Amino acid sequence: MIAKENNSGKKRVLVVDDEPDISLILKMVLEDSGLEVHSFEDPISALNSFEVGLYDLLILDIKMPEMDGFELYHEIRKKDNKVKICFLTASEMYYKKLRNEEFCSLNKDMFIQKPIENEELIKEINKILSS
Amino acid sequence: LTTPSNTQAERTEVLYGVDNTTNEILNFLSSAKTQMDICADYTWPSVAIGVDVFKKALFNIKDRGIKARFVTDITKNNLEYCKEAMKIGELRHLVGIKGNFALSEKEYMASATLQEATPLQQVIYSNVKEFLEQQQYVFDTFWNKSIPAEHKIKELEEGLAPDKIEVIQNSSRSQALYFNIVKSAKEEILLIFPTPNAFIRQENMGVIRAIIETAEKTNVKVRILMPAHDLTENSVQTLRRRDQYRHGNIDIRYIEVTSGTKATILLADRKVSLVMELKDDSKTTFNQAIGLSTFSNSVPGVLSYVSIFESLWKQTELYEKVKESNKRLEEANEQLKVHDKMQKEFINIAAHELRTPIQPIISTVGIIRSRKASMKEHQLDDSLDMITRSAERLKQLSSDILDVTKIESQLFELNKEKFNLNDLLSKTVEDYKNQIAKTNMNIKLALRFTENTIVVEADRNRITQVISNLLRNAIKFTKKGDGTISIEVQKIEGEGEESMYTQRFVMVSIKDTGSGIDPDILPRLFEKFASKSFQGTGLGLFISRTIVEAHGGKIWLENNDDNLQTAGTTFSFTLPAISNQKNISQQQATEVLDK
């Protein structure tokens, strides 16, 4: 069980990416920047274990088997319409087209394109966390 | 009425009996000095020429230099007599002429009836001047109304009607003529309908039925030009179907309705035309709708219509061709669009697949840089492994993309050599066993040969590539990394490209216990980008198929069972086999195998 109260004072982030190497390395990078990071390779498990108030930010991959990042986004929004969510994707199409069409209401900062340098990623994440 | 016989005296007399009449006629003929005008019905030529005494007397007239003029009804039956009569004097034709009379410059003879090639029973004689003048007037009138015998003879001999252009005021006469022309056509009917209504009216009138009958009975070729319209579509389709089963003599094409076209044009055998002008297209019957009609059998006029018809006909051909090529352009355009969509899709997939492995490399390098000395040895090893894995993935992807580019630009080539396929399989399977051993997966690879040596002539690297692709797929779809992959090699007999002999093939099967393949995707599986997997570009199987087919083999797959979750899949491919003795000695083969 993850403690609901964040005693360390660190911001808590959830990473969902079906690529094991990516979820692992993102966890390391974000932990090195002083965040508490949980990661899932399977979007269904991520959804099942999600609880309101647990996280300050969700970082979702888009192209995933079983449930893609957009579906996961909608499912989580049903549970929690306040938590910050951003997408981290390598897809060209999702990044450019769907951002405009389906997610036009979202802030464009909510999309971060892979691959991204560690410093750049940390900067983007902190910007979202402090917004 | 009878007056004494006197040359000077006026006399009018009826004579009876063959002898009397014959004598009187011969007298009449021999006493003529300057003219002999005879007007008589169709039997006359047979009497004049067929009765010997009359013939002699008539030729005698000619010899005496007397000007002879004959008007009669020239028919098929009296044609030969008429030709004889033409040697005596000028012969003209008047259709259906009934009166029988003859006029010299001073005498008149007539007969109520004539019998074929027989002397006469009864004649009337007169030399009354006033009567002669009156009869001369009648003769001259007939003469002027008649036509030269040569024309009629030509018509009879060639079946030609005399040249005529006639304006028909009465639409029911047009209708009768319309049917007549259609029914008597011998070779060809050309027809232009100005409006859909015109077609419907004339179909109701029975003309279309008459055309079909003519076409079917006498093998007349019918071509119809008409505007396309919903109202006529059914009739046209029925007509076309019916005709298809019969002679294929009726051809219908569509023309544009132009406001200028206001007449039904009928052309038969390129000899007659009937142009029926449309007075009121809103009327339901032919008789109400048609105004003036023009009939013509005058060749220049009819041929002009034929040439107009042919131009329109050709135009529809061109129109059809333009339509056809437009359709092809549209299809090509569609294909281009599909191709374009596939290219875009490829770029999207390729972009995703190229970018994804870069992230672990960048991030890991970043971590190593920032942590440096603080990193423990096993952490460093893990990091280096991650970089290696990602780099391998990029290497694989770049080589796949390069292969596809080669295939699509037809630069794909094989470097064939002879080798033992078992040897290659053993080595490849061993490599994968080692790779699996490094992971936490529990996948067994079982390789089974039916023969020790199976020699193929193939591109060693490309075949390795196919086997690796299939093995990687099998491993990827083995759920939870737990299961067995069986690889089997065997020789099979198969139909070669030359069916004269059965060619031997080597078949390699790779059977997994994975999740099976979605039946929806099966037919497209070996095409580009077919993958439903979330890893991979969907290029591996496309490349594998290209490699196998380039060797003359086949590649396919089957789900092992209908239950996709448990059954798994078997991928198989074949390569043409080479008999061992001929190409590689058993000993050499064993040596190869031993290594």
Side-chain angles (χ1 to χ4, degrees):
Chain A
M1 265 313 283
I2 305 158
K4 204 146 196 180
E5 289 305 309
N6 199 338
N7 297 326
S8 63
K10 285 181 178 175
K11 299 268 189 181
R12 200 184 273 159
V13 173
L14 173 70
V15 173
V16 186
D17 196 311
D18 64 314
E19 294 274 348
D21 282 354
I22 292 184
S23 61
L24 178 67
I25 196 70
L26 288 180
K27 189 170 188 290
M28 287 169 72
V29 170
L30 295 174
E31 277 173 350
D32 278 11
S33 79
L35 296 168
E36 187 182 334
V37 184
H38 301 142
S39 68
F40 283 93
E41 287 159 30
D42 166 20
I44 309 274
S45 310
L47 178 63
N48 290 339
S49 66
F50 178 83
E51 278 178 52
V52 179
L54 212 53
Y55 300 109
D56 298 292
L57 173 66
L58 272 53
I59 303 172
L60 310 181
D61 183 24
I62 294 176
K63 199 180 168 195
M64 293 184 290
E66 316 285 342
M67 176 182 273
D68 72 23
F70 292 124
E71 286 174 83
L72 181 58
Y73 172 90
H74 287 299
E75 290 303 317
I76 283 170
R77 276 282 172 253
K78 284 180 195 165
K79 294 185 174 185
D80 184 343
N81 61 5
K82 284 205 181 99
V83 67
K84 288 173 180 163
I85 301 177
C86 76
F87 296 97
L88 182 61
T89 180
S91 288
E92 182 86 352
M93 184 171 62
Y94 288 140
Y95 186 73
K96 278 191 175 156
K97 197 175 162 197
L98 289 184
R99 182 184 65 186
N100 295 332
E101 286 177 8
E102 221 176 296
F103 281 75
C104 53
S105 59
L106 284 182
N107 187 329
K108 75 175 181 18
D109 297 337
M110 305 296 264
F111 289 85
I112 303 168
Q113 181 152 27
K114 276 192 277 198
I116 182 165
E117 296 282 345
N118 295 352
E119 290 77 14
E120 195 66 26
L121 176 68
I122 292 161
K123 211 170 85 189
E124 291 289 329
I125 296 298
N126 283 332
K127 203 164 83 187
I128 296 168
L129 279 170
S130 59
S131 65
Chain B
L1 267 164
T2 310
T3 55
S5 178
N6 185 324
T7 50
Q8 303 303 315
E10 288 194 338
R11 177 167 73 93
T12 300
E13 192 179 353
V14 181
L15 295 110
Y16 300 95
V18 173
D19 289 348
N20 287 339
T21 58
T22 304
N23 276 336
E24 193 68 27
I25 291 165
L26 293 176
N27 271 337
F28 167 74
L29 292 172
S30 60
S31 58
K33 297 256 176 332
T34 57
Q35 82 158 46
M36 180 53 62
D37 290 344
I38 300 176
C39 171
D41 69 16
Y42 65 93
T43 53
W44 173 78
S46 73
V47 176
I49 305 297
V51 177
D52 225 35
V53 284
F54 295 154
K55 183 181 173 183
K56 273 183 191 159
L58 283 165
F59 270 94
N60 190 254
I61 278 179
K62 187 199 173 191
D63 293 343
R64 298 206 309 274
I66 293 168
K67 188 186 172 196
R69 297 190 298 170
F70 312 130
V71 176
T72 189
D73 188 356
I74 304 171
T75 67
K76 267 191 298 196
N77 298 327
N78 65 21
L79 195 59
E80 292 313 311
Y81 293 123
C82 289
K83 282 181 183 170
E84 279 298 296
M86 284 165 77
K87 291 176 186 166
I88 299 162
E90 193 180 347
L91 180 70
R92 288 175 76 100
H93 164 77
L94 189 60
V95 64
I97 184 72
K98 282 282 186 285
N100 302 309
F101 64 94
L103 290 158
S104 71
E105 67 284 351
K106 59 180 194 312
E107 289 176 313
Y108 165 86
M109 287 201 80
S111 173
T113 54
L114 288 178
Q115 270 184 345
E116 199 97 0
T118 313
L120 280 62
Q121 293 293 338
Q122 182 193 41
V123 294
I124 298 164
Y125 171 87
S126 180
N127 63 359
V128 178
K129 203 183 162 214
E130 289 74 19
F131 184 64
L132 256 67
E133 278 171 2
Q134 191 189 13
Q135 290 304 308
Q136 189 64 52
Y137 176 78
V138 172
F139 179 87
D140 288 345
T141 305
F142 285 160
W143 181 258
N144 287 334
K145 280 188 85 174
S146 63
I147 60 166
E150 291 83 356
H151 283 204
K152 179 64 183 174
I153 289 169
K154 188 180 167 210
E155 176 203 324
L156 285 170
E157 287 181 339
E158 296 176 17
L160 285 177
D163 288 357
K164 184 168 82 170
I165 296 175
E166 187 188 347
V167 176
I168 301 152
Q169 313 267 356
N170 180 342
S171 56
S172 39
R173 241 207 96 211
S174 306
Q175 184 179 342
L177 202 53
Y178 194 165
F179 277 102
N180 247 327
I181 292 169
V182 165
K183 285 177 181 167
S184 55
K186 296 205 166 41
E187 289 164 19
E188 182 189 51
I189 293 173
L190 307 176
L191 196 49
I192 305 175
F193 290 106
T195 62
N197 286 343
F199 178 88
I200 293 167
R201 276 191 299 269
Q202 293 170 36
E203 189 187 25
N204 291 339
M205 184 170 95
V207 152
I208 303 295
R209 212 180 323 120
I211 287 172
I212 293 172
E213 278 167 17
T214 306
E216 288 177 0
K217 257 191 247 162
T218 53
N219 219 19
V220 168
K221 302 275 177 227
V222 179
R223 283 186 285 158
I224 296 172
L225 283 169
M226 59 185 288
H229 198 277
D230 292 346
L231 287 172
T232 53
E233 194 53 28
N234 266 340
S235 301
V236 170
Q237 291 307 333
T238 313
L239 198 58
R240 280 180 173 155
R241 269 199 303 277
R242 182 190 164 121
D243 185 57
Q244 253 175 17
Y245 292 119
R246 310 286 179 115
H247 304 281
N249 282 346
I250 301 175
D251 199 353
I252 301 168
R253 287 196 187 159
Y254 290 135
I255 44 169
E256 299 287 318
V257 196
T258 57
S259 52
T261 318
K262 283 273 187 262
T264 297
I265 300 173
L266 169 70
L267 305 164
D269 299 335
R270 313 203 163 205
K271 282 176 187 159
V272 298
S273 67
L274 181 63
V275 179
M276 294 158 277
E277 295 181 2
L278 195 54
K279 190 173 61 185
D280 187 349
D281 196 36
S282 66
K283 293 286 193 287
T284 50
T285 68
F286 178 83
N287 286 351
Q288 290 170 315
I290 293 296
L292 293 176
S293 299
T294 323
F295 169 86
S296 171
N297 63 359
S298 168
V299 175
V302 174
L303 287 184
S304 303
Y305 279 122
V306 169
S307 130
I308 291 167
F309 183 94
E310 295 293 359
S311 301
L312 284 171
W313 191 260
K314 198 150 245 160
Q315 221 176 68
T316 66
E317 257 167 28
L318 287 175
Y319 180 67
E320 287 302 315
K321 275 184 198 153
V322 169
K323 244 174 45 181
E324 182 58 30
S325 59
N326 270 349
K327 208 177 124 201
R328 267 192 238 125
L329 272 177
E330 259 170 43
E331 279 166 8
N333 200 22
E334 258 334 284
Q335 276 173 0
L336 275 179
K337 275 186 195 160
V338 169
H339 187 252
D340 189 49
K341 197 181 159 221
M342 281 173 74
Q343 290 292 6
K344 276 187 184 146
E345 196 128 313
F346 176 64
I347 289 169
N348 277 326
I349 295 168
H352 183 268
E353 292 307 301
L354 282 165
R355 282 170 180 153
T356 298
I358 295 172
Q359 187 66 58
I361 296 174
I362 291 180
S363 291
T364 311
V365 169
I367 292 268
I368 295 171
R369 274 191 209 287
S370 64
R371 292 189 183 177
K372 276 182 189 160
S374 70
M375 266 187 115
K376 296 195 172 70
E377 199 180 331
H378 74 91
Q379 284 178 320
L380 190 59
D381 280 344
D382 288 348
S383 300
L384 291 176
D385 282 348
M386 198 185 287
I387 292 172
T388 308
R389 271 199 300 277
S390 300
E392 284 291 334
R393 225 172 112 178
L394 282 173
K395 186 181 140 200
Q396 181 63 48
L397 185 72
S398 55
S399 111
D400 279 0
I401 290 174
L402 200 59
D403 279 347
V404 169
T405 314
K406 277 184 194 164
I407 290 164
E408 299 204 320
S409 49
Q410 276 144 20
L411 294 169
F412 186 78
E413 281 173 7
L414 297 175
N415 295 314
K416 284 188 181 178
E417 57 181 316
K418 286 166 190 153
F419 61 90
N420 184 355
L421 183 64
N422 291 352
D423 190 33
L424 185 147
L425 272 161
S426 305
K427 190 178 167 296
T428 312
V429 168
E430 205 54 41
D431 287 348
Y432 275 88
K433 276 183 181 168
N434 293 337
Q435 280 186 31
I436 291 165
K438 286 185 199 164
T439 69
N440 52 7
M441 290 186 288
N442 182 26
I443 297 176
K444 292 184 188 69
L445 297 183
L447 176 61
R448 202 170 72 86
F449 310 129
T450 52
E451 291 170 57
N452 278 339
T453 307
I454 292 180
V455 179
V456 292
E457 185 173 15
D459 185 320
R460 191 190 289 266
N461 292 331
R462 290 300 184 184
I463 297 302
T464 309
Q465 194 180 348
V466 173
I467 295 162
S468 295
N469 267 332
L470 297 181
L471 281 175
R472 265 204 310 275
N473 269 342
I475 293 167
K476 195 161 76 186
F477 288 103
T478 298
K479 280 220 163 163
K480 299 183 174 71
D482 198 346
T484 302
I485 296 167
S486 319
I487 303 105
E488 254 189 46
V489 193
Q490 53 186 308
K491 280 196 173 178
I492 55 161
E493 304 270 306
E495 291 275 311
E497 280 187 10
E498 291 155 60
S499 55
M500 293 297 287
Y501 60 97
T502 52
Q503 197 179 339
R504 304 205 70 192
F505 281 95
V506 180
M507 181 172 83
V508 180
S509 303
I510 295 171
K511 180 177 178 180
D512 66 51
T513 51
S515 52
I517 291 182
D518 188 341
D520 290 347
I521 207 172
L522 274 179
R524 294 188 292 117
L525 201 68
F526 292 98
E527 287 169 24
K528 261 191 298 178
F529 321 125
S531 175
K532 262 200 173 175
S533 147
F534 282 80
Q535 290 173 3
T537 50
L539 296 176
L541 288 176
F542 171 72
I543 295 165
S544 298
R545 186 191 70 180
T546 308
I547 294 170
V548 169
E549 286 177 358
H551 281 89
K554 280 182 185 163
I555 187 165
W556 69 96
L557 82 148
E558 298 152 295
N559 279 326
N560 299 332
D561 198 310
D562 289 342
N563 187 342
L564 294 184
Q565 290 309 307
T566 58
T569 310
T570 303
F571 276 89
S572 308
F573 70 90
T574 57
L575 291 174
I578 295 175
S579 73
N580 298 349
Q581 293 80 2
K582 207 159 81 183
N583 300 287
I584 187 166
S585 75
Q586 195 64 45
Q587 199 187 347
Q588 282 174 311
T590 316
E591 279 169 18
V592 171
L593 197 63
D594 287 346
K595 286 176 199 168

